[in-house]
Amino acid sequence: ARGRYVAALEAYREGPLTSAPLWNKMGIAYHHLFALDEAEKAYRRALIIDPHYAAALNNLAAVYEGRHDYKQAERTYKLALKYKPNVAVTYGNLGTAYFADLNYKKGMKAYETALKLDPNVFNLDESRRVTETSSRQQLMVSNYYVAKTLASAGKQEEAVAYLRKAIGEGFHDRKRLETDKGFDPIRGSPEFQKILSQQRSD
């Protein structure tokens, strides 16, 4: 994967450096390589060319999130939504920042908004999200609440998939699963009951 991003950077440098989308793509490549400083510089170059470029703002917010500056991340995600409202991915990212900042109520609201805007926003193809700078704890919390959001919407298969991802990142709280009302719509499913059974045996 690292080789692909390095190759992408080399290719992007051959392109027109007056293109905001090109600088944004370069930022994404740096981001996936954990080079946050270089990613930030690229996103800012994109924003110099187009100050209202919501995609670059969304990705710049992810840099702040990667540095654990959650308040600045939240402000920047909101600015992205100001210039380009109703973008499901940005709402999902904003929700993740809220959860990292321990603001669970706002996080759930942002996730619910994301799902209403795009029923497929939380599909397991994560190519639209940069998660390399997230800690295991952050991924666990995010996956748990994505599972809860999907379960509340009756999306059983997707909810179970995310719940398994949360468990893979270290979630082991059987009592919480048994009492969290967000999982009521899928509580009777064999898949959810199997997860509960596995939690009991851990």
Side-chain angles (χ1 to χ4, degrees):
R2 179 179 177 83
R4 288 202 308 271
Y5 293 121
V6 170
L9 281 168
E10 292 175 355
Y12 294 148
R13 291 191 185 102
E14 299 298 320
L17 297 182
T18 54
S19 165
L22 186 65
W23 279 107
N24 185 54
K25 289 178 180 179
M26 289 177 69
I28 292 170
Y30 280 123
H31 213 145
H32 282 292
L33 292 169
F34 300 93
L36 292 186
D37 290 344
E38 294 302 318
E40 179 180 0
K41 289 176 185 176
Y43 296 142
R44 290 193 180 280
R45 286 290 296 269
L47 290 166
I48 289 172
I49 298 167
D50 181 358
H52 295 174
Y53 189 23
L57 284 166
N58 174 72
N59 293 329
L60 179 60
V63 170
Y64 294 132
E65 191 175 339
R67 292 175 176 153
H68 312 297
D69 187 352
Y70 304 123
K71 296 299 184 187
Q72 186 61 41
E74 292 159 19
R75 286 191 288 267
T76 309
Y77 284 131
K78 289 176 183 177
L79 187 59
L81 288 167
K82 176 183 176 182
Y83 294 135
K84 192 171 183 181
N86 301 324
V87 177
V89 170
T90 307
Y91 270 107
N93 291 340
L94 175 60
T96 299
Y98 278 136
F99 285 123
D101 201 24
L102 307 182
N103 196 330
Y104 300 109
K105 186 175 181 179
K106 286 186 176 180
M108 276 298 295
K109 185 175 180 181
Y111 275 2
E112 289 165 358
T113 301
L115 190 62
K116 286 178 183 177
L117 290 169
D118 180 1
N120 299 313
V121 68
F122 295 121
N123 66 36
L124 294 179
D125 174 11
E126 296 184 350
S127 61
R128 293 182 295 174
R129 301 181 62 200
V130 179
T131 61
E132 279 85 350
T133 55
S134 299
S135 69
R136 189 176 183 188
Q137 174 70 20
Q138 288 172 321
L139 290 172
M140 181 190 76
V141 171
S142 174
N143 288 331
Y144 178 87
Y145 280 98
V146 170
K148 182 175 176 177
T149 302
L150 291 165
S152 296
K155 291 179 171 289
Q156 175 183 308
E157 184 177 344
E158 297 96 324
V160 167
Y162 266 98
L163 192 51
R164 292 195 182 281
K165 283 166 67 71
I167 291 168
E169 296 294 346
F171 177 84
H172 294 291
D173 190 341
R174 182 188 71 243
K175 185 176 181 181
R176 184 173 183 179
L177 276 181
E178 289 176 333
T179 59
D180 194 328
K181 294 184 181 299
F183 291 102
D184 284 354
I186 68 167
R187 192 171 300 282
S189 70
E191 292 82 1
F192 187 83
Q193 289 299 315
K194 183 178 180 180
I195 289 176
L196 277 181
S197 176
Q198 291 169 342
Q199 291 283 292
R200 289 192 184 99
S201 63
D202 286 344

